[in-house]
Amino acid sequence: MITLGDVVRRQLHVPTIPAVRDVAALLAEGSDDIVAVLFYGSNLRTGATEGVLDFYVLTAGPPERGMWPTVSYREFDLHGDTLRAKIATMRLATFAKAAAARTIDTTIWTRFVQPSALVWVRDPDTASQVAAAIGDAAKSAARFAAALGPATGTADSYWRALFRQTYAAELRVERKGREGQILSFDPGRYSELLPLAWTADGIAFRDDAGLLKPDMSPARRRALLQAWARRRRAGKPLNIARLVRAAFTFEGAARYGIWKVERHTGVAVPLTPWREKHPILAAPGVLWRVWRARAQTSEKTV
């Protein structure tokens, strides 16, 4: 009989391309406190290295002071290519607590109910701890999906209801229907995952040829909806606070921002020492440069 743990371990050990494993190994060299590196996001789904590779670096370090995770951006020259990576770093213990929805934050369990790969880990015991945390993320997401979804529906309908609610709670700019893109990548995985997560979380349900009906008492459903309401109210303020913090602490912010500008506008902006040291102060000048370059291009085509 397949369990939630089986599905989680299978996903965490999905093969990844050598370039991703190479970057993970380099990230792991950064500190003796690093115990695991997770790879996630659209590049995991596509197997491509274009754009920015997304990593979570988990540590055994001291408790965070202030908000988590810390975020940085780095570029790696490997095998003749430049690979770009955005790195979120936090303690494994904090990650596990957030995945189990024992914090008001929603960002960890909503992201890691989606596929991720354990591309570097210190030892088997740590691998087990990471797998347990990812399993808890699935249970947290499934629990709220049961409360936020329809009384009866397919697994897809429960996941769609959940992701619509989480996107609305967080300060994220997503196209309408983004949840459909996530689910369409591997619909069989999500159909398999939901009943396994409910079972692991002690939620009874009926399955009538794929139509699911969670058997929850009115009191438990009400408690979950109240818990979700608290998270929804806190979602946007938490995200705004993270954005403000990142503006001052995002290591490599200037390099990342200039790469994004060139990628989306086609305007090359030199990375000067001053811009790298003062990315916020430099932003108006960069935007002015982009505006002038695009205006001049428009004049030439008239």
Side-chain angles (χ1 to χ4, degrees):
M1 179 178 177
I2 296 177
T3 67
L4 174 63
D6 295 330
V7 173
V8 167
R9 286 187 291 272
R10 182 181 71 204
Q11 179 64 64
L12 284 175
H13 293 94
V14 68
T16 52
I17 60 175
V20 167
R21 297 195 298 273
D22 290 344
V23 171
L26 291 171
L27 292 174
E29 293 176 357
S31 169
D32 292 338
D33 283 337
I34 294 174
V35 297
V37 180
L38 286 162
F39 177 58
Y40 71 105
S42 60
N43 290 82
L44 173 62
R45 296 192 292 269
T46 64
T49 57
E50 297 176 354
V52 176
L53 307 175
D54 290 300
F55 293 92
Y56 254 73
V57 173
L58 304 178
T59 75
E64 289 90 353
R65 294 199 296 179
M67 302 190 73
W68 43 259
T70 58
V71 182
S72 61
Y73 169 79
R74 290 176 60 184
E75 295 180 355
F76 301 87
D77 291 322
L78 294 173
H79 314 299
D81 293 323
T82 299
L83 301 180
R84 299 169 176 86
K86 188 170 65 173
I87 306 111
T89 302
M90 64 189 297
R91 279 199 317 156
L92 173 56
T94 306
F95 180 86
K97 184 178 180 180
R102 288 188 285 120
T103 71
I104 199 71
D105 181 84
T106 64
T107 57
I108 298 300
W109 55 262
T110 54
R111 280 153 182 74
F112 286 95
V113 70
Q114 300 173 48
S116 59
L118 184 60
V119 286
W120 186 91
V121 66
R122 184 175 62 182
D123 52 50
D125 181 60
T126 303
S128 296
Q129 292 180 56
V130 173
I134 299 298
D136 283 344
K139 288 188 287 185
S140 299
R143 187 184 315 133
F144 282 111
L148 297 170
T152 302
T154 62
D156 181 84
S157 65
Y158 284 99
W159 289 124
R160 285 177 184 271
L162 176 76
F163 288 132
R164 281 196 294 267
Q165 289 285 344
T166 56
Y167 283 140
E170 297 175 15
L171 189 65
R172 300 181 65 190
V173 181
E174 299 287 352
R175 291 190 180 93
K176 188 177 181 180
R178 171 62 174 160
E179 67 278 1
Q181 295 177 6
I182 292 172
L183 295 168
S184 65
F185 172 72
D186 191 357
R189 172 187 179 272
Y190 289 98
S191 294
E192 180 183 37
L193 188 65
L194 185 64
L196 292 176
W198 279 347
T199 298
D201 201 45
I203 297 175
F205 63 94
R206 301 174 192 172
D207 185 348
D208 183 10
L211 278 178
L212 305 174
K213 180 179 177 61
D215 186 10
M216 299 175 64
S217 69
R220 186 172 189 190
R221 182 181 293 275
R222 186 163 54 250
L224 280 170
L225 290 174
Q226 289 171 349
W228 174 251
R230 291 192 296 272
R231 286 163 172 80
R232 185 184 62 225
R233 288 192 296 269
K236 286 184 173 63
L238 273 174
N239 277 264
I240 290 170
R242 283 199 174 100
L243 288 171
V244 171
R245 179 178 182 269
F248 295 95
T249 63
F250 190 148
E251 182 183 346
R255 190 176 298 273
Y256 177 68
I258 283 175
W259 172 79
K260 290 279 284 186
V261 165
E262 184 167 356
R263 179 179 175 85
H264 289 287
T265 68
V267 178
V269 180
L271 179 64
T272 65
W274 190 85
R275 284 176 178 152
E276 189 157 24
K277 187 175 181 180
H278 306 285
I280 297 174
L281 294 176
V286 170
L287 293 175
W288 170 255
R289 184 187 182 100
V290 169
W291 181 84
R292 284 297 304 153
R294 299 184 79 172
Q296 289 170 1
T297 301
S298 298
E299 290 171 2
K300 291 178 181 177
T301 57
V302 172

